[in-house]
Amino acid sequence: MSAFEYSAIDSTGRESRGVMEGDTARQVRQQLRDQGWTPLSVSETTQAERSGRGRGLLGLTGLGGRLSARDLAVITRQLATLIEAGSPVEEALQTIARYADRRRQQKLLLALRARVVEGQSLANALAGFPRSFSEMYVATVRAGEEAGRLGGVLERLADHIERSLETRSSVAGALIYPLILTAVAFGIVALLLAYVVPEVITVFDSLAQDLPILTVALLAISAFVRDWGLPLAGLVAVAAIAFAVALRNEGFRYRVDLLLLHLPFVGPLLVAIDTGRFARTLSILAASGTPVLEALGTASQVIARRPLRAAVRRAAMQVREGESLQRALQASGWFPPMLLQLIAIGEASGELDHMLHRAADFQERETNMTVSIFVTAFEPALMLVMGGIVLFIALALLLPIFELNQLVG
């Protein structure tokens, strides 16, 4: 049985669209006719784009445009609840699809159910839609099915997705205000230099005296902004586009990430974000029973910075050769001491998943604290900079007036 998307004229004469299950398109058309509807088109539901596993939520970037991060969290939580309550997977998927408030969710869920009914495992069914379900998600579900703990594993996945959403929202929310404040402040300064200052300075053109050095400097800056502001903005836009295209090259991306990781404030923050994602993902995979080497390979994909990702893959090779995970990660020199210490304790006690969970909590708290400190310090620093710029403009405009008053006096 498969899921089919249909378009038909209903009994009121209106065109209706939806998803219906059936063995063949002909059977679906007959079901529509039995309801008194006139079928216009019937096609099997598939996911058009299957190339490349999207990465974003669960540390991977983007969920392929099929499911948003929030939608995936809701579906995972509902599926976990129904399976824990004893509902078979195919019935759980059908129930969630029946009450789905978005048509694309319904299509996807019924397509998954059709594959499960055909005899595929839930993990294999999910793997058929890589733009909606990441490799980490599929690997975790597969491990949960093999261990007979699918409901519990899905609960942990739902917790992880929701926690990732909260962390992302808090960081983004904290950074939006400083970015808007900076853009507005420098936009106002640019307008002052391009339009207001030249009008005021024309007052001094008729004076037969030399202008102060600050006024001359302000005039030069104003002329540069007025004459070259738009071309410079266009050049910056072109450079940004070229840079974004260049980032598609892995070698260039690696060098950029390496540079970012060595910056005084940015580097530690990026390490904290990536190691938190890595620890959280690895803890879920370890708890679901995924072998360590496979878990490391999957968890490395949630790391955004290439040098850190390469370090995890080198660590996996050392673990394969018999080295402990803590020593293998420590050899790279990238990972925080707290994470390494908790991993060592977890390996010694046999509770690696719990220690990784605690390490992820610590890294996420550290990330939020760092962002909070940055936001707290940024606003007064920006005020000082803007105050200095305004003071410079004011002095440059007022000094000629003071000198003129002295001459008149």
Side-chain angles (χ1 to χ4, degrees):
M1 183 175 290
S2 301
F4 292 85
E5 185 178 0
Y6 67 82
S7 172
I9 303 298
D10 62 20
S11 55
T12 64
R14 297 179 180 179
E15 183 177 353
S16 178
R17 297 176 181 271
V19 179
M20 183 176 290
E21 291 182 298
D23 293 326
T24 63
R26 177 179 295 181
Q27 184 184 54
V28 172
R29 290 191 186 93
Q30 186 59 48
Q31 292 177 23
L32 291 170
R33 293 190 186 97
D34 292 341
Q35 296 178 16
W37 292 16
T38 303
L40 298 177
S41 65
V42 176
S43 58
E44 186 175 0
T45 299
T46 58
Q47 183 158 319
E49 299 181 43
R50 299 176 181 270
S51 59
R53 290 187 174 269
R55 293 173 309 145
L57 179 61
L58 305 182
L60 304 178
T61 63
L63 294 171
R66 298 295 296 181
L67 287 178
S68 68
R70 197 166 301 280
D71 288 341
L72 182 59
V74 171
I75 289 173
T76 305
R77 179 70 67 190
Q78 291 173 338
L79 191 59
T81 302
L82 290 172
I83 291 176
E84 283 284 273
S87 177
V89 174
E90 62 273 15
E91 291 184 11
L93 289 169
Q94 186 176 42
T95 300
I96 299 171
R98 185 180 301 123
Y99 297 103
D101 56 355
R102 290 186 177 88
R103 188 160 161 266
R104 66 180 181 183
Q105 292 181 25
Q106 186 184 53
K107 289 167 56 180
L108 182 59
L109 289 166
L110 289 178
L112 289 172
R113 180 183 182 276
R115 291 177 178 229
V116 172
V117 170
E118 290 172 357
Q120 295 186 27
S121 66
L122 177 59
N124 288 339
L126 294 171
F129 300 88
R131 297 192 62 215
S132 292
F133 303 98
S134 70
E135 185 174 341
M136 177 267 185
Y137 193 102
V138 174
T140 305
V141 170
R142 178 172 286 109
E145 286 182 305
E146 292 174 353
R149 296 183 295 164
L150 180 59
V153 167
L154 286 170
E155 285 282 357
R156 296 197 64 167
L157 267 176
D159 290 340
H160 173 47
I161 298 170
E162 291 166 358
R163 190 186 297 268
S164 298
L165 283 170
E166 291 173 3
T167 301
R168 186 192 307 174
S169 298
S170 63
V171 172
L175 293 178
I176 285 175
Y177 175 69
L179 291 175
I180 294 176
L181 187 62
T182 302
V184 171
F186 282 96
I188 292 174
V189 170
L191 289 175
L192 286 174
L193 292 173
Y195 299 104
V196 178
V197 170
E199 294 296 327
V200 177
I201 292 298
T202 55
V203 177
F204 306 120
D205 288 343
S206 59
L207 297 179
Q209 66 175 27
D210 293 333
L211 295 176
I213 185 65
L214 284 181
T215 307
V216 174
L218 181 62
L219 282 172
I221 296 172
S222 176
F224 177 82
V225 172
R226 187 174 61 254
D227 297 337
W228 296 97
L230 290 178
L232 187 60
L235 183 62
V236 169
V238 171
I241 294 173
F243 181 77
V245 172
L247 285 178
R248 297 177 183 176
N249 180 275
E250 282 297 318
F252 182 76
R253 181 66 176 269
Y254 185 95
R255 291 191 292 272
V256 171
D257 287 344
L258 193 61
L259 175 63
L260 291 174
L261 291 174
H262 282 99
L263 293 178
F265 174 81
V266 176
L269 177 60
L270 294 177
V271 169
I273 292 173
D274 271 344
T275 53
R277 290 173 176 173
F278 168 72
R280 181 76 64 192
T281 303
L282 192 59
S283 71
I284 293 176
L285 292 169
S288 66
T290 304
V292 175
L293 292 177
E294 182 182 342
L296 284 172
T298 303
S300 68
Q301 297 186 35
V302 309
I303 299 176
R305 305 302 147 196
R306 269 51 177 181
L308 292 176
R309 189 185 300 177
V312 171
R313 290 174 178 172
R314 287 194 299 269
M317 295 176 62
Q318 295 176 22
V319 170
R320 183 181 290 109
E321 294 171 358
E323 185 66 273
S324 69
L325 177 59
Q326 182 264 338
R327 290 183 180 276
L329 293 175
Q330 187 177 29
S332 69
W334 285 115
F335 294 88
M338 177 64 74
L339 173 65
L340 296 173
Q341 183 64 28
L342 289 173
I343 288 176
I345 295 172
E347 288 183 304
S349 62
E351 297 184 346
L352 181 60
D353 57 327
H354 296 298
M355 291 299 104
L356 285 167
H357 183 79
R358 294 182 62 179
D361 288 341
F362 176 81
Q363 292 300 123
E364 289 170 0
R365 285 195 299 268
E366 185 176 355
T367 298
N368 292 332
M369 185 183 304
T370 303
V371 172
S372 177
I373 292 172
F374 167 74
V375 172
T376 303
F378 179 82
E379 187 173 351
L382 180 62
M383 293 303 175
L384 286 175
V385 172
M386 296 307 301
I389 294 174
V390 172
L391 178 62
F392 167 72
I393 295 175
L395 288 177
L397 295 177
L398 292 176
L399 281 178
I401 298 175
F402 293 154
E403 292 185 0
L404 180 61
N405 288 337
Q406 290 176 357
L407 291 175
V408 174

